Amino acid sequence: MRHLTTKQREKIVSEQIESTESNFELETVRQAIADSTPNTAIYIGCDSKRYIRGGKRKVAYVTVVILHLDQKHGGKIYRQVLIEDDYGIQMRQRLMNEVYHAVGIAMSLQDVIGDRIFELHLDLNKSSEHKSSLVVKEAVGFVMGTMGFEPKLKPESFAASSAADTFTVKIADIPKRLRRAPRTTESV
């Protein structure tokens, strides 16, 4: 997907959303990667949303693993959903939890990914105009320290900011009229 624009990537992701594996078994994803060709690219990202259900505050974390077959054919999106009670955690902690979830899955798959193209996508923006910039240095440092490479940030982080975000919005059941406007390179 390196040769595609951000809009093209987001279009591919939105077309693939309906064919996802919900709450994947790690072994299923490992086998799918092992069965794929060496030209398949793997992208991992996580997003979260706060919401209220039944009078209780919750946080939905969705981690996605995207297999882009041979980097030119369709793909498969696997998702893992984790719902936690929201005890008023601060934004910094919630954003870092997203990083921890993505890195945890990535570390579990690292051996089977092998030499395939692999990117870890974080739903963070470097621009200080956006709240998510609070944790960029901390998050990038954590990923570099645990994984040994630099993660992709917005606007290049489509696995987190498009795929995972789509699922968190659906889980939180946010009405269309209240959803954010389509994302641009200047978004959160």
Side-chain angles (χ1 to χ4, degrees), residues 132-152:
S132 65
S133 67
L134 292 168
V135 297
V136 167
K137 287 182 183 178
E138 183 179 351
V140 169
F142 179 76
V143 172
M144 290 182 75
T146 55
M147 302 295 298
F149 60 85
E150 197 165 332
K152 297 288 184 183

Side-chain angles (χ1 to χ4, degrees), residues 11-136:
K11 183 176 184 264
I12 290 170
V13 166
S14 66
E15 290 171 354
Q16 294 294 321
I17 292 295
E18 297 309 315
S19 66
T20 62
E21 285 280 330
S22 181
N23 279 341
F24 62 77
E25 294 291 327
L26 196 56
E27 277 310 309
T28 303
V29 178
R30 291 177 62 81
Q31 191 60 51
I33 294 170
D35 292 344
S36 70
T37 68
N39 291 329
T40 294
I42 289 76
Y43 307 99
I44 297 176
C46 184
D47 193 24
S48 65
K49 290 279 184 282
R50 298 170 106 174
Y51 65 98
I52 298 174
R53 177 110 357 104
K56 294 185 179 183
R57 295 170 54 122
K58 302 281 186 182
V59 179
Y61 292 96
V62 177
T63 307
V64 298
V65 179
I66 301 173
L67 275 65
H68 186 206
L69 306 173
D70 294 328
Q71 300 177 64
K72 59 184 174 184
H73 300 298
K76 183 78 173 171
I77 301 174
Y78 297 87
R79 64 181 163 163
Q80 183 178 67
V81 178
L82 177 62
I83 308 291
E84 295 181 351
D85 289 331
D86 180 4
Y87 296 109
I89 62 171
Q90 299 299 313
M91 177 180 257
R92 173 186 284 301
Q93 184 60 48
R94 187 168 54 91
L95 292 171
M96 285 306 297
N97 284 347
E98 292 176 14
V99 176
Y100 302 145
H101 289 301
V103 167
I105 295 295
M107 290 179 72
S108 300
L109 299 173
Q110 197 169 21
D111 63 320
V112 75
I113 290 171
D115 293 331
R116 291 173 181 82
I117 291 175
F118 170 64
E119 294 178 359
L120 187 73
H121 293 188
L122 303 181
D123 193 27
L124 304 175
N125 197 315
K126 289 186 248 184
S127 172
S128 61
E129 298 171 12
H130 304 284
K131 294 177 184 177
S132 65
S133 67
L134 292 168
V135 297
V136 167

